[in-house]
Amino acid sequence: MDLRPAPALITSGWLNSPTPLDIPDFRGRVLVIEAFQMLCPGCVEHGLPQIQRVARTFPADQLAVIGLHTVFEHHAAQGTREALAAFAHEYRLGFPIGIDRQDGALPATMTAYGMQGTPTLIVVDRNGFRRFQRFGHIDDLALGSILGTLLAEPVAASAMADPAGGCDATGCAVPPAA
């Protein structure tokens, strides 16, 4: 995978978050995104339980977990905020969940990330670069290795000093040498 800034999260709303969230909000922490649908067996059996384990295992000041409800089928059954809220309550999903914006046949964030379906797991490094993306299940040990490696990497000084300054959709500018 090319090292590029992670695309923006294009959402129509959020659960478990008082404000909308986007990739720059997590700068300085590794970000794990689980893209799912309520009626996806792989999501319910593997993806969501795994991301809950990740959220419990790693310190929140070092790693953040969010869900992305990206509905591309059965819209009437799972496409409402109320249905998602009930699902999140029943499955005890306490992490923020973005609702992928419907812009046509496929949701906007799903399209921006080139997802093949759900579950899809995305890992963004501390500097806002997408470092891993997998459609389907990934073994816990393999995911732990990826996360451990990214947690051991330093945060770019410019990302910590001014998370929004000098950064745009193409990346972050390197500050001039002093």
Side-chain angles (χ1 to χ4, degrees), residues 2 8 14 45-47 59 81 84 90 105 108 138 162:
D2 293 334
W14 285 84
E45 293 174 21
H46 300 289
R81 180 184 181 87
L84 178 59
E90 290 300 319
I138 178 172
D162 184 6

Side-chain angles (χ1 to χ4, degrees), residues 11 13-22 25 96:
T11 58
W14 285 84
L15 297 180
N16 304 330
S17 178
T19 60
L21 300 170
D22 202 351
D25 297 324

Side-chain angles (χ1 to χ4, degrees), residues 39-169:
L39 297 179
C40 163
C43 300
V44 174
E45 293 174 21
H46 300 289
L48 291 171
Q50 181 177 58
I51 202 162
Q52 287 173 306
R53 290 190 300 275
V54 168
R56 287 191 308 265
T57 302
F58 293 92
D61 65 331
Q62 298 294 311
L63 185 143
V65 166
I66 63 173
L68 179 69
H69 191 239
T70 184
V71 178
F72 59 90
E73 58 189 352
H74 309 298
H75 294 276
Q78 63 181 346
T80 68
R81 180 184 181 87
E82 294 76 20
L84 178 59
F87 177 85
H89 174 77
E90 290 300 319
Y91 282 88
R92 294 179 172 85
L93 305 178
F95 48 81
I97 301 170
I99 302 167
D100 203 351
R101 190 173 76 204
Q102 289 297 142
D103 278 351
L106 293 176
T109 307
M110 179 181 224
T111 301
Y113 277 82
M115 292 182 211
Q116 296 173 286
T118 58
T120 293
L121 185 108
I122 300 162
V123 181
V124 177
D125 72 15
R126 296 173 184 265
N127 299 305
F129 290 93
R130 179 174 34 166
R131 297 287 291 273
F132 180 82
Q133 182 169 323
R134 165 86 46 90
F135 169 56
H137 179 67
I138 178 172
D139 180 76
D140 281 355
L141 190 56
L143 178 57
S145 175
I146 292 164
L147 298 179
T149 298
L150 292 178
L151 286 167
E153 291 180 354
V155 179
S158 62
M160 287 305 292
D162 184 6
C167 298
D168 62 20

